[in-house]
Amino acid sequence: MMNRWTGDSKNALLDRRTIAMGIAAAYGVGLWTHVVHWRSGAREAHDVMFWAHWMRDSTLSVPLVLLAVIAATMAVGRRAGIVRTASMVAVAVAAALALGVPVHAGIFGNAGHHGAVPALPVSMLAEFLIDLPVALMISATLLGLGAITWPTRRALSARQRGALSMAALFAVGIITIPSSQASAVVPGVGVCPAGSFTRTYSVTMIDVDIPLNRWGDHDPAGKMYALTSQIPAIRAQELSRDVSLGLRDDPIQPLVIRANQGDCVEINVTNDASGGSYGMHIDGLPYDRAGDKVGRNVSGEVPAGQTSVYRYYVPDDKDLEGAHYISPGAGHRAAIDHGLFGVLSVEPANSVWLSPKDGTTPIESGWEAIIWPADVPAFRENVQIMHEVGNEKEDVFDKNDVALPTVDPITDAYRPGSRAMNYRAEPFMDRLNLKPHAKAHAYSSSVFGDPATVIPQGYLGDPTKFRIVHGGAEVFHIYHLHGGGNRWRNNPGADPDHNYANTGLQKTPVESAASDRVDAVNTGPGESFNAEIEGGAGGVQQAAGDFLFHCHIAE
């Protein structure tokens, strides 16, 4: 019987069975490659779904893989055994797909698809090793079924030579992309430039019974992002429910990590929380995978019990300094209501962050720190996160696991214990129950002791920056700092005369300014702003003592 492709019963170089072998290898090995990349956290940056990504890349690889199959079968000859032939074909296919790594990079851009990647030779070797076992399985299976008629080494017919030349030219044409076209490709989001410093964190999403104050109020449905190394300490505090006054070093507090302008941030995220898949999204920064599936975005969520890698790039841009909200995304408001949020605080380039206790010990995380940049003055940083505990229909519980009342019976405040700062709330009824007739002293630490909520500290004139974040999902909050002389520029970057290190007593009236001075700001869910305190700690009047700050939320 004549071969319909070649007209030759013996030389089946391009018969349909050989083509079938090449197509099976291209799409089969391509599927395996994409599954491996997907599970490792790689994502297409241009809104291409998994199946479309696989079909597109596999289709583009068909000429290379087909050429590899033809070359391999010619090399071994028709009389070679199944093991030898399958091995040769598998090696050729894996090598062809490894050669496709720079092709993919040239067309689409490396980091545009998979974030920070290893050097090209390492990527090609990894691709070869990933693809080889599956290529061997596919080729051995088809050979075992007797599905391929292999060509010999003998001279090719004119039609065969022409077909082989066309396939080779097609493959070479894909590889040799004009440099102008390659350079015109705009890298996707989440690209960490070569040579950028990579800062790595290991974070686990967990369920935790969050203690809200020293009175025993708590949120048993709590969730949080936690440094993996802190989980034993978190479990110990969860068991004791003890909290520090002023929220100093408690392990149960919102995650606050830091990075410098110009850093690449790599976060290994493990999902040990109940409720299904959750992710991590950091507002305002380029990333290689989304935190959750919104609209047509590819979901970057981590299934329960699994770990994935998220990469973010912090451009060297001074306007990015400040708190960047971390959350599982808009699709997980219920988890946000119970504490699954945090902050990445972006610092000036080449900064180090030190313990506020001694100013010398480096710290990995925490809401307060001393930031020491390389070429600008140091300052105290305090990250204050306002949020709600549960939604408006959920309860907060006391130490006996009894739901707190919807209305504070002493002050008529709505949902006591549910308006929090950094996982801490200090309901007036808890304080006033000790002395119900001491309403005039409700804020007094001398009468009732310091609260469990954050208490920033500093010496007069210390350069001070508050990073204020709305970490909730339900209502607006109005951050207000009392004291008369405590104020900040609404937009410090807009005022060329602003210098956070220009501290001390300032009694000259402000006649004109490029930015309004404020002491109260209204914020919505996910918003944040920098309050760079004029005059530093103590304000422009340089007054020592405690200054009240709170939320002017209704009731």
Side-chain angles (χ1 to χ4, degrees), residues 35 67 73 116 162 174 182 206 215 265 290 311 396 433 440 445 485 497 517:
V35 168
L67 187 61
T73 54
I174 293 176
I206 60 173
W215 314 103
V265 181
R311 296 182 184 89
V396 178
N433 277 335
S445 292
D497 296 329
R517 264 74 163 179

Side-chain angles (χ1 to χ4, degrees), residues 21 28 39 46 58 81 87 118 126 141 263 403 426 432 451 484 491 493 506 532 537:
M21 182 68 170
R39 292 295 299 273
H46 302 293
S58 296
S87 300
T141 300
D263 282 357
E426 189 87 1
L432 294 174
N491 185 356
Q506 299 177 21
E532 301 186 3

Side-chain angles (χ1 to χ4, degrees), residues 455-475:
I455 301 179
Q457 295 178 332
Y459 293 100
L460 280 179
D462 281 351
T464 301
K465 298 185 181 183
F466 291 168
R467 316 291 197 193
I468 311 301
V469 181
H470 189 316
E474 288 283 328
V475 297

Side-chain angles (χ1 to χ4, degrees), residues 210 212 218-223 333-341 387-397 414-420 423 471-475 477:
I210 297 177
L212 300 174
H218 64 111
D219 179 17
K223 297 182 186 295
R333 197 172 77 169
I336 294 172
D337 283 337
H338 288 283
L340 194 59
F341 54 76
H387 61 101
E388 307 89 43
V389 180
N391 64 40
E392 296 296 276
K393 295 183 179 180
E394 292 182 297
D395 293 322
V396 178
F397 296 88
Y414 178 61
R415 294 194 71 230
S418 69
R419 313 306 188 199
Y423 293 172
E474 288 283 328
V475 297
H477 291 275

